[in-house]
Structure formats: C-alpha cells, structure tokens
Amino acid sequence: MSLTATIPQGRDRKEAEIYAQLDLGRIPRHVALIMDGNGRWAKKRHLPRVAGHRAGVAAVRSTVETAARIGVPALTLYAFSAENWKRRPRTETGFLMELLRRYLKQELPRLKENNIRLEYIGRKQELPQEVQERMGWARDATAENTGMVLTLALNYGARTELVDAFNDIVRAAAGNGGIAHLKIDEELVGRHLYTRNLPDPDLVIRTSGEMRLSNFLLWQLAYAEIYVTETLWPDFRGRHLLEAISEYQKRERRYGGLLEPEANNN
C-alpha cells in the first residue's frame, strides 16, 4: 500500500511520516478514545464551552478517517457520558444533542465513503426521541458497510453497563428455569455487555493529560495499554492517533504473565 494512496493529498505530511514507521501487522484490533479538553480549549481562547464542542467535530472526522484508512477494525469514542447527562447544564446538553444530530447527518457520506459501520453503546433510550431517530437512521444507512466499526458511547457509563448486564443475566435465567443453577463467570458477563460484538480494546487513548478512565469501559479495559496525551481534544488529529499507535507498538503486552525467556538463557 503506497503512502500516496493512504494519506490523501493535502493531509498533514507528518501523518505520512509516522505511518511509514508503523508495523501494519500489529495495528490494534480495537482503539478506545476518551475525548477530553473541549472546555479548556474554549477557555484558553476566551470562548464559550460550546465552541470547544463544535471544534471537536473536526478532531472526530480526522481521527475516524485515519483509523479507517490504516485498518483499525474497531474504534470507540467516548462522546457523552451518563454523568454528563446528569451534571451538565441543560443548555450545554441540549447543544450537544443538536451537535450529534448534525454530525450524523453531515458525516454520513464520509462514513459510507470510508466503508465505516456505525454503532452505539449506552442507555440510548434515555436520549431525546428525535436524537434516537437520527441515530437509528445513520446506523441503518451504514449497516451494510464492511470496514471499521465506529462505536459512539452516548449516555454511557461503565458501572451502568455492568448493572444492565447483571440485570439481563438474571432476567434471562428467570425465563429459562430460574436462577438456582445460575453460574456467573467472565464469559457470561461478556456476552451481556454492550460491547459483546467487539473485541476488548488493545489501546485506550485519553486527551488533555488527565490520568483517569472516567467510568469508561472498566471491564473491557482490564489489559488495555493506556496512552495519555496533553493535546486537548479539538486539537487532536489523525497524526496524534498514529503517534499513540506507534507508542503502543513499542510496548510488550504480558496480560499478567512473564515474557518468554530467550532460548540461550540458562
């Protein structure tokens, strides 16, 4: 695959330079991304917070397209947490919902062009009806795409996901002979998570320099590599994603075990 085919004309050439150094055989199967720093980006520029959210759309577009081009099978973006829904002013949450509706309409042609399939996780049923309808429309329009799966985490919280999973397990058992012989193990829990059709993330990226997971995919990120950048989300671009993947490829993943000793060691 040539760089000219992979990096469109006019894109930052730094992206091409980093791409050239990647091992395409070790691209993460699933990248999770905590998009943070919109408010600080706006504050630094003496702008209202919503200006940061609006500017973040360009970061989403660049990141999604770059991930699809280099062959990342799955990308999950933490777009809107359950805590955001409860604790942010209504004016801000209302703006975010309208921004989401516009994003889905405007970006659909790009998603199709890049063969991206759109999915969602979170308590979608608690979002405004018109937002749910736009979400369903966009998902259905990309359902036949066979490339990267882009998952938007909306009204999402890892603890509420686990609560929902355990409730699903109990309901299923109650409808299938009762819970007396129910055996809960990791495989069973995994089958009831929102992400049951996705591999666990290999890499989680957080922008804005914060060192926390913020209730994001707590079960699934048990063995993910963590990469934190000081870059605020509205300034994040495809090359920053490639930098994170480059760093990921330098690490040795042990999953709680030890590295195999070299053959010549006694």
Side-chain angles (χ1 to χ4, degrees):
M1 183 184 299
S2 69
L3 287 181
T4 54
T6 304
I7 308 298
Q9 185 177 4
R11 186 58 62 92
D12 184 355
R13 299 315 299 174
K14 180 65 174 177
E15 185 173 333
E17 294 171 9
I18 302 169
Y19 174 84
Q21 304 302 316
L22 294 181
D23 179 353
L24 297 184
R26 297 182 58 225
I27 296 295
R29 295 174 305 160
H30 185 180
V31 176
L33 214 158
I34 303 172
M35 306 182 295
D36 190 28
N38 291 351
R40 272 166 284 176
W41 183 93
K43 185 176 180 180
K44 285 173 63 175
R45 291 160 176 78
H46 307 288
L47 297 170
R49 286 178 58 84
V50 295
H53 298 315
R54 188 182 294 111
V57 172
V60 172
R61 180 182 301 124
S62 177
T63 302
V64 168
E65 290 187 345
T66 297
R69 284 199 311 276
I70 68 171
V72 173
L75 175 68
T76 297
L77 303 181
Y78 199 10
F80 193 81
S81 74
E83 289 77 17
N84 292 153
W85 190 243
K86 296 173 184 176
R87 299 174 184 175
R88 297 288 177 89
R90 284 193 175 186
T91 52
E92 184 174 351
T93 57
F95 177 86
L96 287 168
M97 291 295 98
E98 182 56 30
L99 187 64
L100 172 62
R101 291 180 72 244
R102 291 203 304 270
Y103 169 81
L104 293 174
K105 183 176 181 179
Q106 293 171 359
E107 297 300 310
L108 183 61
R110 292 176 181 268
L111 297 179
K112 289 185 174 181
E113 179 183 348
N114 287 281
N115 195 29
I116 295 169
R117 180 161 59 88
L118 185 62
E119 294 289 350
Y120 312 98
I121 57 174
R123 290 183 172 175
K124 305 178 290 291
Q125 70 277 10
E126 296 178 355
L127 298 176
Q129 184 61 36
E130 64 272 17
V131 174
Q132 294 184 49
E133 291 172 0
R134 180 64 58 83
M135 290 165 60
W137 167 80
R139 182 190 56 225
D140 292 346
T142 64
E144 300 302 318
N145 292 347
T146 58
M148 185 179 77
V149 178
L150 171 63
T151 303
L152 302 182
L154 298 163
N155 194 26
Y156 173 86
R159 290 183 176 183
T160 56
E161 178 181 20
L162 290 172
V163 168
D164 289 348
F166 296 147
N167 281 325
D168 283 347
I169 290 169
V170 172
R171 278 194 295 268
N176 189 32
I179 63 173
H181 302 289
L182 177 62
K183 179 183 177 182
I184 297 179
D185 56 19
E186 291 185 15
E187 182 181 355
L188 179 63
V189 173
R191 292 202 305 267
H192 289 268
L193 295 174
Y194 301 152
T195 56
R196 53 188 167 271
N197 296 319
L198 293 171
D200 286 346
D202 296 307
L203 172 65
V204 57
I205 302 168
R206 177 154 192 156
T207 62
S208 84
E210 298 293 347
M211 300 288 187
R212 56 179 178 270
L213 292 177
S214 295
N215 198 22
F216 182 50
L217 298 178
L218 298 180
W219 179 282
Q220 298 89 333
L221 294 179
Y223 287 104
E225 295 295 319
I226 299 174
Y227 178 87
V228 177
T229 174
E230 296 290 333
T231 304
L232 301 177
W233 177 248
D235 294 325
F236 196 90
R237 292 296 183 270
R239 68 179 179 87
H240 296 100
L241 172 68
L242 297 183
E243 287 171 353
I245 293 175
S246 177
E247 172 62 27
Y248 162 84
Q249 292 187 344
K250 297 173 184 176
R251 301 181 186 178
E252 296 175 331
R253 307 186 70 197
R254 303 184 185 184
Y255 300 95
L258 298 175
L259 294 178
E260 291 294 328
E262 295 185 9
N264 60 355
N265 282 354
N266 293 326

